[in-house]
Structures are given as C-alpha cells and as structure tokens.
Amino acid sequence: MNQIPFDFGHGPNQPGRRSGGHRLFFALRPPATIEQQLAAIADDHGKTFSLSAKPRLSTLHVSVIGVGDYDELPEDAVFAARQAGATVEGAPIAISFDRIMSFRREDKARPLVLCGEGGLKPLTRLHVQLGVGMHNTGLPHNISRNFTPHMTLLYDRKAVPPTTLAGPVSWTAHEFLLIHSLLGKTEHRIVDRWPLLG
C-alpha cells in the first residue's frame, strides 16, 4: 500500500520500512484458524524460490490506512486516530486472496504478499472512510489512489513472480484495529478495535 508521508508535529516522518521507531496504522487481522494455511504457503514458496526469511505469523495483517511513523508515539495522534476509528460504520468484510507475489523495492528486502480482488470494494470503502475521519480529527487523510489490499508474509531479497495459489486464503473480518507497531522488533500492540456490524 502506498501511504502519503506526513508530519503531525512530532519529529520527522519517514516513509517506508524503518529499523526503529513507532508506526500507527489501521488494519484487519486474519483469524488464528488460517495461520497454518498461511505458514504452509510461505513455506512452499520459500522452498520453491530459495527464500531465507521465515513468515511473521505473530504480526500478520491487512493494512487499511497508515496514520504515521514517529520517533516517539505521540498521545495526541493516538487520540485523534481513535476518534477517527469511532466514526466508521461498516459491515463485515469477506476477504479472499488468491495470488502471491513480491512487491518491488530498490536495494531492500522485498515483501512477499498475498493479494486478490476478494473484498477490494469494501476494503477501499473502509480505507476512504478512515481517511476522511482522520482528516476531520486533524490528521492528514492519507487516502491513496493506489490502495492495494494485501497481506505480507515475509521480507526477502529474492523475488517471487506473480502466481495463482492452489486455493484462496479467505475469511470474514468482523472488526478493524488501530495498531501500534514497534519498528524493527516485529511487535504489534492493539491500541483499539471497532466491530464491523453492518
């Protein structure tokens, strides 16, 4: 997902992966019941393409929209993001990813991601709703015209070409989350959550 970098008044905001700091973003999480399927997909493609990285099962998610990257997590940005999340009304989202590929990145490890069209429209709607809500609470809206729902399995310098999966990875999301990521530590903390009730 392409995210627009911005400064909420708390130090430099650097787009892309960082080795340290704090990231705040809205996301959906897959249920634990499909973790084995995801691990098997990552393992199969890791062996086929000689990847050295292992999947990050504890932090699997589908990013909906980024709030920002910070050297220190600012309480006012968290407060504004929680206000934005509370404005959203939406139904449960049926997600289905049927393709796997590496996203291109120059001189960096490439994300190996699952993607597909299943759930694209409602995910885009949620992306826009949260962007508008963020704008209304004083945060830049961060809405991207290139929003591409995906789930990153791992990062590796070797590339995997676009491939159709033997079977889709599907689930229904009944909530969305505001997540605080400790960059470089593979650790996600749930700040707040909201149900998708319809």
Side-chain angles (χ1 to χ4, degrees), residues 48-116:
T48 301
F49 295 95
S50 301
L51 306 181
S52 58
K54 300 299 180 187
R56 302 177 175 193
L57 297 179
S58 64
T59 57
L60 290 172
H61 66 277
V62 178
S63 294
V64 178
I65 194 167
V67 178
D69 288 355
Y70 309 95
D71 294 326
E72 298 293 335
L73 189 65
E75 291 185 9
D76 52 355
V78 173
F79 178 77
R82 293 176 81 170
Q83 284 187 309
T87 65
V88 170
E89 295 181 2
I93 299 174
I95 297 169
S96 183
F97 292 145
D98 59 3
R99 297 192 305 278
I100 189 168
M101 68 178 70
S102 294
F103 281 172
R104 292 183 180 179
R105 302 188 81 153
E106 296 298 327
D107 301 322
K108 293 183 180 179
R110 301 174 181 221
L112 177 65
V113 307
L114 299 182
C115 55

Side-chain angles (χ1 to χ4, degrees), residues 146-165:
N146 300 317
F147 176 60
T148 305
H150 64 276
M151 181 163 53
T152 301
L153 297 179
L154 53 82
Y155 290 87
D156 198 281
R157 291 195 173 275
K158 292 185 179 179
V160 173
T163 307
T164 300
L165 297 172

Side-chain angles (χ1 to χ4, degrees), residues 4-42:
I4 302 169
F6 67 91
D7 185 355
F8 198 52
H10 300 280
N13 183 14
Q14 301 171 8
R17 294 184 71 209
R18 297 173 59 178
S19 58
H22 305 266
R23 175 169 294 161
L24 198 61
F25 64 97
F26 290 97
L28 309 177
R29 269 195 175 170
T33 53
I34 66 169
E35 280 187 5
Q36 286 186 338
Q37 182 185 6
L38 295 167
I41 291 170

